[in-house]
């Protein structure tokens, strides 16, 4: 069997020069319509998509390679998200191009991502720290529960009781599939809310029901936020998913009740 006959990824032309045209924007309205969210006007949530880039390099003015990591933050109200493989190819296009300084590269990336997303994008070199010990977070994965439903996402599992609580929960069992490639996407989801207590076993079953579902990372988080808001009507709600990396990138969408401060920037163990 030759390499061309193997059931592996097909060759992709490696970018030889800096090329912002490689970025592929996707209208957020495409996913939000399915959730009955407004295509224009105020959204029921605030938030952002925080990207971590682990494989960023270029040449300095003398041709010596420079290697950096970076964090990009795209506002949720931007009209477009950026498709992840296109972002990978775009960042690879820096590899053989000379730049005078870190500041020039940072400004170039910020301008290009802003053009693709349709809104200002914050670009910083470096990565957030790993998450530390958290005694006040309920780990849903420790629950002993039978599950046999892996999709489509089923909000009927979400049940709430009358007592008002403030609670933080997490699960590393969120999995969905890329709608473009069909490849699996893995994430730790972190939910912080004040409102009627969300029944833990039902919440875990709901999160697992994304397992065979095909949707972009950002859309999955907006679906979780919308379903929890509709079924449980919390006074405040924050949903963040820390996805594992593919192609040297990971993405961390966060959606929350408008007015809430963003959670501390951290990376999960699997990131």
């Amino acid at each position: 069997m030759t390499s061309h006959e193997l059931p592996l990824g097909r060759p992709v032309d490696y970018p030889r020069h800096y090329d912002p045209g490689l970025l592929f924007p996707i209208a957020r309205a495409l996913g939000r319509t399915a959730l009955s969210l407004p295509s224009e006007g105020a959204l029921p949530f605030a938030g952002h998509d925080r990207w971590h880039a682990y494989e960023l390099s270029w040449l300095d003015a003398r041709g010596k390679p420079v290697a950096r990591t970076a964090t990009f933050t795209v506002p949720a109200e931007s009209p477009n998200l950026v498709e992840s493989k296109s972002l990978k190819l775009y960042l690879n296009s820096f590899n053989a191009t000379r730049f005078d300084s870190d500041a020039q590269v940072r400004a170039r990336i910020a301008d290009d991502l802003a053009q693709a997303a349709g809104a200002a994008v914050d670009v910083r070199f470096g990565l957030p720290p790993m998450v530390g010990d958290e005694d006040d977070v309920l780990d849903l994965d420790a629950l002993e529960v039978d599950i046999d439903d892996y999709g489509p996402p089923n909000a009927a599992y979400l049940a709430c009781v009358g007592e008002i609580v403030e609670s933080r929960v997490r699960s590393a069992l969120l999995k969905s599939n890329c709608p473009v490639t069909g490849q699996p996407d893995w994430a730790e989801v972190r939910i912080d809310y004040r409102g009627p207590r969300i029944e833990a076993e039902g919440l875990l079953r709901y999160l697992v029901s994304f397992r065979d579902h095909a949707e972009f990372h950002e859309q999955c988080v907006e679906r979780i936020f919308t379903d929890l808001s509709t079924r449980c009507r919390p006074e405040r709600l924050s949903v963040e998913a820390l996805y594992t990396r593919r192609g040297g990138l990971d993405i961390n969408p966060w959606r929350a009740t408008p007015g809430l401060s963003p959670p501390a920037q951290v990376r999960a163990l699997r990131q």
Side-chain angles (χ1 to χ4, degrees):
M1 180 179 291
T2 68
S3 60
H4 295 289
E5 297 173 308
L6 293 172
L8 304 175
R10 299 296 179 239
V12 176
D13 288 339
Y14 187 84
R16 299 298 177 183
H17 301 285
Y18 160 72
D19 183 2
L22 291 167
L23 291 170
F24 188 81
I26 297 175
R28 294 187 189 272
L30 296 175
R32 289 171 178 171
T33 298
L35 297 175
S36 299
L37 295 173
S39 57
E40 297 182 359
L43 291 165
F45 49 70
H48 59 234
D49 305 325
R50 190 178 79 245
W51 295 81
H52 300 148
Y54 298 82
E55 300 170 6
L56 175 59
S57 184
W58 63 90
L59 305 178
D60 69 14
R62 298 176 300 171
K64 179 182 176 182
V66 178
R68 294 286 184 268
T69 57
T71 300
F72 315 140
T73 305
V74 183
E77 62 268 21
S78 66
N80 303 318
L81 59 86
V82 180
E83 195 275 327
S84 61
K85 186 173 182 179
S86 77
L87 179 54
K88 172 189 175 182
L89 293 173
Y90 163 74
L91 294 178
N92 281 340
S93 78
F94 282 76
N95 290 349
T97 303
R98 298 190 182 203
F99 294 93
D100 293 332
S101 66
D102 285 21
Q104 184 185 18
V105 174
R106 186 178 63 80
R108 187 70 57 87
I109 294 174
D111 287 345
D112 292 342
L113 290 181
Q115 286 291 323
V121 174
D122 181 71
V123 175
R124 304 183 185 191
F125 291 141
L127 300 172
M130 305 300 294
V131 64
D133 294 333
E134 297 176 301
D135 296 331
D136 59 341
V137 178
L138 172 63
D139 184 3
L140 297 178
D141 302 348
L143 298 174
E144 296 291 337
V145 56
D146 295 330
I147 298 178
D148 58 7
D149 184 356
Y150 308 108
N154 189 352
Y157 289 121
L158 297 173
C160 306
V161 298
E163 63 172 325
I164 302 299
V165 300
E166 293 190 12
S167 182
R168 299 173 65 206
V169 303
R170 64 167 294 278
S171 173
L173 300 184
L174 180 63
K175 172 195 169 290
S176 55
N177 298 318
C178 174
V180 176
T181 66
Q183 294 299 301
D185 295 319
W186 310 88
E188 175 179 316
V189 62
R190 305 169 71 83
I191 299 170
D192 186 344
Y193 71 95
R194 173 179 170 80
R197 182 183 300 277
I198 302 172
E199 195 272 320
E201 291 187 1
L203 178 55
L204 181 59
R205 287 190 175 95
Y206 166 71
L207 294 174
V208 172
S209 73
F210 279 78
R211 196 167 182 84
D212 291 335
H213 180 60
E215 202 167 39
F216 291 117
H217 306 67
E218 301 93 332
Q219 295 167 352
C220 286
V221 172
E222 292 182 2
R223 184 178 295 276
I224 294 169
F225 180 93
T226 300
D227 286 344
L228 286 172
S229 297
T230 300
R231 304 283 298 194
C232 297
R233 302 193 179 280
E235 298 174 16
R236 60 168 176 80
L237 174 64
S238 170
V239 179
E240 184 178 35
L242 310 181
Y243 279 88
T244 59
R245 82 184 78 160
R246 282 202 287 131
L249 294 166
D250 68 50
I251 182 172
N252 307 268
W254 168 67
R255 302 293 185 269
T257 305
L260 288 186
S261 298
Q265 292 192 8
V266 294
R267 288 180 292 144
L269 179 63
R270 293 190 298 172
Q271 293 181 308

